[in-house]
Amino acid sequence: MASIDPALFIAALDKAHTSSEGGRLLTAIGISEADLQENPMETVGHRMYEDEARGIQLDFVDEGKRRKTPIHDIGEGPWVLFQFYFMSGAAGGGRYAGALPYGITFDMTRADLAKLLGAPTSSNPMVELWQKEDHRVSVNFDRKSGAIKAVGVQAPLE
């Protein structure tokens, strides 16, 4: 997979996989709807794509759970990209090789992140969150080393 501009991921956020934005993202990653698996941690109406070797996780929710949709069977899609994560490899698995959103890099410290993104809107030893435009950016840390484990972006909560 060639490096994908993080703006392509952000553009597909809160959009169905069948939308032009969603389709462009799936094509850039090289996957299709058939690659979206049931999320074992969630209830009916959730799908995910995880590629540990490439350090990517995409989480989808059935459009009927995200928006009021008349006469819709939950679990049949279309699938709305709810959040995505880029993994650093610090917790095992592959390291995402592409650019991260907002100029974040995996080698940054909490102080570096605060300088780049401003004070987080929420912080604890394992995660810091920032509100950006119409979505949230999360950075997950290893509790022992303080290294960045993952950088994620989440659609607005409804």
Side-chain angles (χ1 to χ4, degrees):
M1 172 179 78
S3 183
I4 301 170
D5 184 340
L8 188 61
F9 286 87
I10 292 171
L13 199 60
D14 209 26
K15 307 278 190 326
H17 78 281
T18 54
S19 69
S20 59
E21 298 91 344
R24 279 193 293 275
L25 178 60
L26 269 58
T27 298
I29 295 171
I31 62 173
S32 69
E33 180 180 5
D35 296 303
L36 307 182
Q37 303 299 312
E38 288 188 24
N39 186 333
M41 304 298 284
E42 299 289 344
T43 58
V44 173
H46 292 261
R47 294 283 185 271
M48 68 181 292
Y49 171 77
E50 184 175 29
D51 186 331
E52 287 186 26
R54 296 192 297 180
I56 300 173
Q57 179 179 321
L58 308 176
D59 294 328
F60 295 85
V61 65
D62 188 289
E63 188 168 47
K65 291 187 107 175
R66 192 81 180 130
R67 299 169 184 47
K68 291 186 181 196
T69 307
I71 310 173
H72 181 83
D73 291 330
I74 301 297
E76 295 184 4
W79 303 103
V80 175
L81 181 61
F82 178 70
Q83 60 190 0
F84 59 87
Y85 293 95
F86 301 119
M87 309 304 178
S88 71
R95 180 184 184 103
Y96 180 69
L100 300 174
Y102 300 102
I104 298 169
T105 62
F106 287 130
D107 62 348
M108 288 183 155
T109 64
R110 288 177 185 258
D112 295 334
L113 290 164
K115 187 181 280 188
L116 178 68
L117 302 172
T121 55
S122 177
S123 180
N124 67 50
M126 296 184 65
V127 66
E128 290 191 342
L129 300 171
W130 290 265
Q131 186 67 40
K132 293 291 184 188
E133 301 163 21
D134 62 348
H135 51 268
R136 294 190 320 177
V137 175
S138 65
V139 176
N140 298 71
F141 300 92
D142 180 79
R143 186 182 292 271
K144 290 180 183 175
S145 70
I148 293 176
K149 290 188 343 184
V151 174
V153 179
Q154 182 182 52
L157 302 174
E158 295 189 352

